[in-house]
Structures are given as C-alpha cells and as structure tokens.
C-alpha cells in the first residue's frame, strides 16, 4: 500500500494476523506477495533491506553531466531522438555541469472520495503521541505525491513504504516510478486506489517509514511517522 495499510493488498487482517497481534512475542514476520525482499527489523522498527547492501549494488558506470550526455554520441540518430524525447525542451545552458541529480519531494497527499485532501507535513513528525493523519476503517484512498527533478536525469526512482502495528510488519509497498529528466515544473504521480482494513484488530496506531531512492541507492526522502485507523472519521476541528 501507500501511506497507510491496505486490506486488499499484501496482508489482510485475518485470524492468523490477529493471533500474531495478540502474541507479539515472536520474530515471525507476516509475508505477502512474491516480490517481498529479505529484511531485518530492530527495536526502533527500522529496516535494512538486502537490496540496499552495497555488495548487491549494480555498477552503472561513470556518471556524466546532463550537458555531456546530450553532446555524447551525436552521430547516432536513434540515440539523439531518444534523448530529445526524454529531455523535451530543457534549457541545457541552465542545467550546468552538476553530475548528481537532485529530487525534492514537494508534497504527499492522501485522497479519499468525499473528504478533504490530507496533505502530509514534510518533514514528518515522528512522535508516538502525535499521529500525522487518521483514516476511517474500510475507506478508499489514493496517495498522490509531487516531486521536482533538477541538475541531471534521475534513473529508477522508487517509492517504498513499510507499515508496522504493535511490532508486526503488516504492509510493505514498493513502486518503481521511473526515470525523469530535469524540468522547472514538478512531476505528479498517483498510486492506485486502495482500501483501509476494518475490524477490531485493524483499529489503532501504526508506525510507518517512507523512502524515495534511485538506482544508485541515493535517498531523497527517508521519513518515519505514526498514523491511526479509527471506526469513524475524526471530527473536524
């Protein structure tokens, strides 16, 4: 799922999970789809995924500035057209010689039908006594985020979100967003609609960790926070 935990994807709140939540005393993890990756979890609820191991990191070769990439292989017509399609009408003179891409997460928004958009604060507040948002059980929602790209092309930008409840991992979402070129206007991306779980054991406080990383394992946002699922929507203040 995205910013919350899904009942239709990954791990449903079934009787087995309810038993796990009651016991809590083991290190057994709830596993879901085949694309899940090995991880370890410490007492703080953080994770260390195998894909972030430097030994497993792919060697993508030397990095070139955007200007160097455009001027390189100009005699290759097909490659030149591909660059034009990817970069569009970018002003190369304004980019400079910086070889490292920069991605800024501009906003993260939870969209629920018939409800005001929930715009999450950046940076997030990591306080167990303060949830940054509350969702109603059994409600539909979508996560929309916008981000800006500057300096150079960012390759393989990926969104990940891991959710825990009472020490048990209940969701692990990974979404490949793609490759993006620098431009002045921010990009917008929406994830598919999901449904929050419902029932007694679904309600309560969750902890989560959201990350945006690229193919070089460069992290542009790594934020931990708390949220709640309740029986009803919160009363407007």
């Amino acid at each position: 799922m995205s910013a919350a935990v899904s009942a239709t994807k990954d791990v449903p709140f079934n009787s087995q999970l309810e038993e796990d939540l009651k016991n809590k005393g083991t290190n057994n993890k709830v596993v879901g789809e085949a694309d899940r990756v090995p991880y370890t979890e410490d007492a703080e609820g953080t994770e260390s995924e195998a894909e972030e191991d430097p030994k497993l990191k792919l060697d993508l070769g030397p990095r070139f500035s955007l200007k160097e990439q455009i001027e390189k292989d100009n005699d290759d017509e097909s490659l030149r057209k591909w660059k034009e399609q990817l970069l569009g009408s970018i002003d190369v003179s304004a980019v400079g010689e910086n070889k490292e891409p920069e991605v800024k997460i501009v906003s993260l928004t939870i969209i629920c039908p018939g409800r005001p958009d929930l715009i999450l604060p950046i940076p997030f507040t990591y306080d167990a006594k303060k949830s940054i948002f509350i969702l109603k059980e059994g409600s539909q929602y979508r996560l929309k985020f916008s981000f800006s790209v500057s300096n150079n092309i960012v390759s393989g930008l990926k969104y990940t979100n891991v959710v825990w409840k009472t020490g048990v991992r209940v969701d692990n979402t990974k979404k490949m967003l793609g490759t993006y070129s620098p431009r002045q206007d921010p990009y917008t991306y929406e994830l598919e609609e999901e449904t929050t779980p419902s029932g007694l054991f679904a309600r309560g406080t969750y902890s989560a960790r959201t990350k945006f990383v690229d193919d070089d394992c460069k992290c542009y946002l790594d934020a931990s926070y708390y949220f709640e699922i309740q029986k009803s929507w919160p009363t407007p203040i």
Side-chain angles (χ1 to χ4, degrees):
M1 74 141 234
S2 304
V5 58
S6 170
T8 60
K9 177 182 176 184
D10 200 280
V11 183
F13 276 76
N14 52 29
S15 59
Q16 180 59 49
L17 179 55
E18 293 178 359
E19 188 66 26
D20 290 339
L21 295 176
K22 290 179 181 178
N23 295 333
K24 278 187 57 182
T26 69
N27 195 35
N28 295 331
K29 308 301 176 184
V30 181
V31 295
E33 301 167 2
D35 61 351
R36 302 307 186 233
V37 298
Y39 80 106
T40 58
E41 182 179 319
D42 59 24
E44 297 296 325
T46 59
E47 70 192 51
S48 175
E49 299 182 345
E51 63 184 26
E52 296 179 355
D53 188 337
K55 296 179 180 179
L56 301 178
K57 183 179 175 181
L58 294 176
D59 182 6
L60 301 179
R63 183 183 291 277
F64 297 93
S65 69
L66 187 58
K67 184 176 180 181
E68 290 172 329
Q69 293 185 60
I70 293 175
E71 295 176 348
K72 193 172 182 292
D73 301 321
N74 271 338
D75 55 339
D76 188 326
E77 182 67 16
S78 61
L79 185 56
R80 184 183 62 80
K81 289 182 178 180
W82 177 82
K83 291 177 183 178
E84 291 177 352
Q85 182 180 9
L86 176 63
L87 299 175
S89 58
I90 186 171
D91 183 4
V92 180
S93 62
V95 174
E97 299 291 340
N98 197 324
K99 297 182 179 181
E100 293 297 325
E102 186 60 38
V103 177
K104 180 181 180 182
I105 309 304
V106 178
S107 66
L108 294 168
T109 305
I110 299 176
I111 302 173
C112 302
R115 300 284 302 179
D117 291 349
L118 296 171
I119 302 176
L120 308 186
I122 300 177
F124 293 166
T125 301
Y126 189 65
D127 184 349
K129 297 181 180 180
K130 186 176 180 180
S131 298
I132 65 172
F133 63 88
I134 298 173
L135 296 177
K136 178 185 176 182
E137 63 177 353
S139 60
Q140 284 73 44
Y141 71 95
R142 286 180 291 115
L143 179 66
K144 179 178 74 173
F145 41 81
S146 62
F147 56 92
S148 61
V149 179
S150 57
N151 295 341
N152 207 339
I153 297 171
V154 60
S155 177
L157 185 63
K158 181 174 66 174
Y159 161 83
T160 67
N161 192 69
V162 185
V163 180
W164 295 270
K165 188 175 191 291
T166 60
V168 177
R169 189 185 71 168
V170 295
D171 192 272
N172 186 9
T173 295
K174 300 181 186 297
K175 182 68 175 181
M176 177 59 70
L177 307 182
T179 296
Y180 296 87
S181 63
R183 73 179 191 185
Q184 290 185 339
D185 296 330
Y187 292 94
T188 299
Y189 197 103
E190 287 192 19
L191 299 182
E192 60 275 11
E193 186 175 76
E194 300 191 51
T195 304
T196 58
S198 59
L200 177 62
F201 288 97
R203 301 171 202 146
T205 300
Y206 295 76
S207 62
R209 185 182 183 187
T210 295
K211 297 175 68 175
F212 288 84
V213 298
D214 64 14
D215 275 347
D216 289 321
C217 293
K218 182 178 179 181
C219 184
Y220 300 101
L221 179 69
D222 186 351
S224 298
Y225 57 97
Y226 288 87
F227 69 93
E228 296 178 41
I229 291 180
Q230 297 183 353
K231 190 173 184 178
S232 304
W233 290 108
T235 303
I237 298 176

